[in-house]
Amino acid sequence: MADIVKRREWGARAPRGSYSRISSTKGVKVHYTGGRVDPGIIDDHAKCVALVRSIQNQHMDGNGWLDIGYSVVACPHRKVFEGRGLHHLPAANGPGLNSGHYAVLGLVGSTGLTKPTDGILHAILDAVEYLRAEGGAGREIKGHRDGYATDCPGEPLYAWVKRGAPRPGATPAPPEPHPVFPGRVLKYPPVMEGADVRTWQRQMRERGWDLDADGLYGEESQRVCRKFQDEKGLPATGAVDRATWNAAWEEPVT
């Protein structure tokens, strides 16, 4: 269960106006501060509180936002600061992108403390579980740079996200058995039809892709396939070959 630090507990300023409401999201986007973070926060929780206050001040007084831009903030002491909170539109993901994901800040920066501690990673995942259970967050865990031109959340934190955001110290679970490659490459044109097409489409939907599992491999399936291949570093052919089929079950969701 997430150890939530409520706004009143960290001395948050009142927002300047009313939040826009969101009922659910695809998941979360992970962020870093983009500036220097004092490594001293690891040993002094009071410094975490002061840093969160300073971020709120920068967002309100520097950016002109109505409040801190993040939904929640994760600190090295495995605590989750309430930012804008549940069901409130964040401001940190980029114009037009905020309604798709909650914004979760890990207290690391571009200098100083740049590598997330185990406590920060645990707190981020505690926050994700909290946002899923109470805020309608979907299964996606992505970095801010996914879909927005930015260095955020920095290389160390983004590398963890790309690995599938595992719990520190957790033993990786063995891969689940998955359907064997059907022996034919799924491609378009012409439209291909069959149970193997539907199986692949269903798996892509499970991974968060917007795709109908209609059993017809056409233009939309080809588009999703190309984007998936590009994301996983596979040749972007738009055809589901053996490597692409296996990746749909074996590669982490990012």
Side-chain angles (χ1 to χ4, degrees):
M1 179 180 294
D3 187 355
I4 305 294
V5 181
K6 295 292 188 179
R7 290 174 63 90
R8 65 180 179 276
E9 294 174 318
W10 61 267
R13 294 163 58 181
R16 287 204 179 99
S18 298
Y19 301 114
S20 296
R21 180 175 172 80
I22 53 175
S23 58
S24 64
T25 68
K26 296 178 182 178
V28 306
K29 288 281 182 69
V30 177
H31 296 251
Y32 78 157
T33 69
R36 185 179 188 277
V37 171
D38 180 3
I41 69 169
I42 294 174
D43 300 313
D44 188 351
H45 184 60
K47 290 184 177 180
C48 296
V49 176
L51 178 55
V52 174
R53 285 180 186 155
S54 72
I55 292 169
Q56 185 190 38
N57 289 337
Q58 173 59 36
H59 285 184
M60 295 179 73
D61 301 332
N63 296 0
W65 295 349
L66 67 86
D67 196 1
I68 190 171
Y70 305 108
S71 307
V72 292
V73 179
C75 90
H77 306 273
R78 198 170 176 175
K79 294 184 181 295
V80 178
F81 289 77
E82 181 185 26
R84 295 199 178 193
L86 302 172
H87 300 300
H88 295 151
L89 187 77
N93 293 328
L97 301 173
N98 290 306
S99 62
H101 297 82
Y102 284 108
V104 179
L105 173 68
L107 285 183
V108 293
S110 54
T111 60
L113 179 61
T114 60
K115 183 177 179 180
T117 65
D118 285 355
I120 291 174
L121 297 181
H122 277 301
I124 290 173
L125 292 174
D126 291 346
V128 170
E129 292 176 359
Y130 166 68
L131 293 168
R132 287 173 177 169
E134 306 292 337
R139 304 301 298 176
E140 288 186 353
I141 302 177
K142 296 198 171 211
H144 185 198
R145 68 177 68 176
D146 292 318
Y148 189 80
T150 176
D151 290 333
C152 184
E155 293 305 326
L157 192 50
Y158 189 60
W160 171 75
V161 170
K162 295 294 283 184
R163 290 198 305 273
R167 282 277 181 190
T171 301
E176 290 288 330
H178 64 74
V180 176
F181 178 63
R184 65 169 183 164
V185 175
L186 309 181
K187 57 186 178 181
Y188 168 83
V191 173
M192 295 182 69
E193 182 177 0
D196 51 355
V197 175
R198 184 174 287 105
T199 298
W200 179 82
Q201 290 171 329
R202 284 175 177 165
Q203 177 63 11
M204 297 307 287
R205 283 182 62 83
E206 283 290 316
R207 295 180 65 95
W209 294 91
D210 185 11
L211 179 64
D212 290 335
D214 57 9
L216 301 175
Y217 195 91
E219 186 174 354
E220 190 63 15
S221 293
Q222 182 188 65
R223 182 190 66 81
V224 168
C225 179
R226 279 183 177 146
K227 292 184 71 172
F228 174 69
Q229 289 170 327
D230 185 61
E231 178 184 285
K232 299 306 177 188
L234 298 167
T237 62
V240 183
D241 56 11
R242 185 182 298 275
T244 303
W245 177 278
N246 289 340
W249 279 269
E250 296 174 2
E251 288 291 320
V253 175
T254 54

